């Protein structure tokens, strides 16, 4: 009870600091800004079939919404235009006309006005663009789904406009559209980059997992006549969710997956060189991402099947629990680290979690990790599990966690395999994300985890295997790719199932 009170007080102090820090930021009055938007309420310069989203609140706009004549920023109401004037710089200012190559001055009272294409982002003087110009979609041609390729319809069963078909474009030889999926529940819930991508790509290419499930979100890939690239903006759980759905929809050969790290751990993103933190979001960020995605190499990632079988001789278990199969891509662990993750997820889902921030997330992990140093709820785990590696039963030392790794990144960047290179170089160098083997390690306590995070010690190596069998003798916490839960006594078998196509940044 006392510990929970301390946790609550610490969280309230952090929230108070965050609120004061946020509202203390100075703002620049509109009158002091040299580069301003020129708002229009007419949609006459746009194709009437084009869907645009408000760049502030992300609601679908209409023909009566507001659009900047210079830079094509869209807002659905007057309140959003005021926020846009403060937070989004009119990026037509100081650009160069694509025809006469002279500068376009975005200051309204100068009298030299211009136009910017919302698809290829080329800018023109009004005087230079008197004739109809044909948009070639510029540097986005290979990744965008153009509006003339999209066919939508309504039916009596589905009155809402929905995607029916994406027609092929034979003259686009290197066309490989990019689909962007983001999870609003991941990490700090800061998805400015998804908003920016919605401005660059066709809005139908940017999809929220919060408003649609992954099956509906990935339907666009199924309709696309060519192979696609998929950018998942989220944490490890979001990436695993999408990879599972890709397998269920039989799309493994049609899509390659890149990652924009938006979670707390981002372990798979680290291994594939996409980084560990959310990228700073300015207008150039998506273009940088596009260059990295286009130049990325395709690699295979082992997909492991986790099969859980229960003792159905017990009536209650037979009635409430059915054998199940899950997939793993990063790691699976049983014990104290899974319990810390589970406590964090409960805190994040509570009504008191009102401000989403990576700093608060990491503080909560630290608090619950420290709690386990004191309470040690998983003490004696080695007496409650049996581990069999490739048919050989292991004599376990004193443990509070057993970890099965497919990638060399665990617990927000802790490289357990690389840590044992000094004592077992052959074992460490024999690891690969597509070798059909997983590495098994042990952790002795929550304090041992803290030491691993700062490189002061090494993990307990248990072995490497093509198949691992684990028997749980009591209810224990377990996590699979960062998604935790309590599991009742059962027989767990981990074996290779297939492979997923990923994109690794060069």
């Amino acid at each position: 009870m006392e510990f929970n009170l301390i946790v609550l007080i610490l969280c309230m102090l952090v929230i108070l600091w965050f609120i004061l820090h946020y509202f203390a930021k100075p703002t620049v009055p509109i009158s002091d800004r040299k580069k301003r938007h020129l708002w229009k309420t007419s949609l006459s310069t746009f194709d009437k079939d084009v869907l645009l989203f408000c760049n502030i609140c992300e609601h679908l706009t209409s023909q009566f919404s507001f659009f900047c004549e210079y830079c094509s920023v869209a807002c659905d109401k007057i309140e959003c235009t005021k926020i846009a004037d403060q937070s989004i710089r009119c990026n037509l200012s100081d650009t160069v006309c694509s025809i006469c190559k002279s500068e376009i001055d975005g200051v309204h009272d100068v009298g030299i006005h211009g136009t910017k294409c919302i698809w290829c982002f080329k800018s023109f003087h009004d005087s230079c663009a008197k004739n109809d110009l044909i948009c070639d979609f510029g540097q986005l041609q290979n990744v965008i789904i153009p509006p003339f390729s999209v066919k939508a319809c309504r039916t009596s069963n589905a009155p809402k406009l929905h995607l029916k078909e994406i027609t092929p474009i034979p003259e686009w030889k290197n066309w490989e559209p990019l689909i962007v999926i983001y999870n609003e529940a991941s990490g700090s819930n800061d998805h400015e980059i998804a908003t920016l991508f919605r401005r660059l790509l066709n809005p139908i290419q940017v999809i929220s997992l919060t408003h649609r499930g992954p099956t509906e979100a990935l339907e666009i890939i199924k309709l696309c006549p060519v192979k696609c690239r998929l950018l998942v903006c989220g944490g490890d759980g979001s990436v695993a969710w999408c990879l599972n759905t890709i397998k269920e929809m039989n799309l493994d050969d049609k899509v390659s997956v890149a990652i924009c790290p938006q979670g707390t751990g981002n372990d798979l993103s680290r291994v594939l060189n996409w980084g560990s933190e959310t990228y700073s979001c300015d207008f150039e960020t998506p273009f940088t991402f596009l260059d990295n995605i286009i130049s990325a190499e395709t690699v295979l990632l082992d997909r492991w099947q986790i099969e859980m079988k229960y003792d159905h001789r017990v009536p209650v278990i037979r009635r409430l629990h059915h054998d199940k199969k899950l997939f793993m891509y990063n790691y699976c662990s049983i014990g104290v680290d899974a319990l810390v993750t589970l406590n964090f997820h409960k805190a994040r889902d509570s009504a008191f979690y009102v401000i989403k921030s990576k700093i608060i997330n990491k503080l909560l992990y630290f608090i619950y990790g420290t709690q386990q140093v004191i309470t040690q709820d998983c003490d004696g785990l080695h007496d409650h599990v049996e581990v069999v590696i490739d048919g050989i039963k292991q004599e376990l030392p004193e443990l509070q966690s057993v970890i099965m790794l497919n990638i060399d990144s665990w617990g927000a960047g802790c490289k357990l395999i690389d840590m044992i290179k000094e004592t077992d170089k052959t074992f460490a160098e024999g690891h690969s994300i597509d070798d059909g083997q997983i590495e098994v390690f042990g952790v002795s306590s929550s304090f041992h985890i803290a030491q691993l995070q700062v490189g002061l010690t090494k993990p307990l190596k248990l072995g490497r295997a093509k198949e691992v069998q684990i028997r749980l003798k009591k209810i224990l916490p377990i996590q699979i790719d960062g998604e935790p839960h309590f599991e009742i006594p059962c027989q767990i078998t981990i074996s290779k199932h297939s492979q997923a196509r990923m994109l690794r940044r060069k």
Side-chain angles (χ1 to χ4, degrees), residues 72 115-124 135:
S72 305
T115 304
K116 187 172 188 176
C117 176
I118 65 171
W119 296 106
C120 67
F121 291 92
K122 292 179 181 178
S123 303
F124 308 93
C135 176

Side-chain angles (χ1 to χ4, degrees), residues 150-359:
V150 177
K151 291 185 179 181
C153 68
R154 290 185 176 93
T155 64
S156 56
N157 295 329
K160 186 178 178 181
L161 192 68
H162 65 277
L163 194 61
K164 178 184 178 182
E165 183 184 358
I166 298 176
T167 58
I169 311 174
E171 58 270 26
W172 289 13
K173 302 300 181 182
N174 299 316
W175 189 36
E176 195 170 345
L178 174 67
I179 309 301
V180 180
I181 290 181
Y182 65 101
N183 187 356
E184 296 178 12
S186 296
S188 60
N189 196 29
D190 182 10
H191 294 284
E192 294 179 15
I193 194 166
T195 303
L196 291 176
F197 268 117
R198 186 170 278 135
R199 290 172 60 190
L200 298 185
L201 304 175
N202 193 322
I204 66 170
Q205 294 176 248
V206 185
I207 307 161
S208 170
L209 285 175
T210 303
H211 304 301
R212 305 183 190 178
T215 302
E216 185 181 355
L218 294 175
E219 188 67 27
I220 188 173
I221 296 177
K222 198 172 184 179
L223 293 173
C224 199
V226 295
K227 290 184 177 180
C228 298
R229 298 180 178 97
L230 175 66
L231 176 64
V232 181
C233 302
D236 291 326
S238 302
V239 177
W241 196 11
C242 291
L243 292 177
N244 290 342
T245 306
I246 288 171
K247 175 60 185 173
E248 293 170 4
M249 298 177 68
N250 296 316
L251 296 175
D252 275 326
D253 295 331
K254 197 174 180 180
V255 61
S256 301
V257 182
I259 303 171
C260 174
Q262 298 274 313
T264 304
N266 303 314
D267 287 295
L268 185 56
S269 176
R270 297 168 192 262
V271 170
L272 296 176
N273 299 332
W274 294 108
S276 60
E277 299 290 340
T278 304
Y279 286 70
S280 60
C281 291
D282 52 44
F283 189 75
E284 295 300 323
T285 299
F287 288 104
T288 304
F289 240 116
L290 288 174
D291 290 339
N292 291 334
I293 292 172
I294 291 172
S295 63
E297 61 176 336
T298 301
V299 297
L300 296 177
L301 174 70
D302 287 337
R303 177 186 284 117
W304 293 84
Q305 179 176 275
I306 300 179
E307 185 176 9
M308 298 180 179
K309 292 186 176 181
Y310 304 96
D311 186 357
H312 294 295
R313 294 173 296 180
V314 180
V316 175
I317 294 178
R318 184 170 64 247
R319 192 167 58 249
L320 299 178
H321 295 274
H322 302 283
D323 295 347
K324 58 186 176 183
K325 295 179 181 179
L326 305 170
F327 289 126
M328 177 194 82
Y329 302 91
N330 303 348
Y331 53 81
C332 170
S333 65
I334 302 167
V336 62
D337 62 319
L339 182 58
V340 170
T341 304
L342 183 61
N343 288 333
F344 164 75
H345 276 246
K346 288 180 179 179
R348 190 176 67 174
D349 295 337
S350 71
F352 296 101
Y353 190 77
V354 292
I355 298 180
K356 300 179 186 296
S357 166
K358 269 194 173 183
I359 297 176

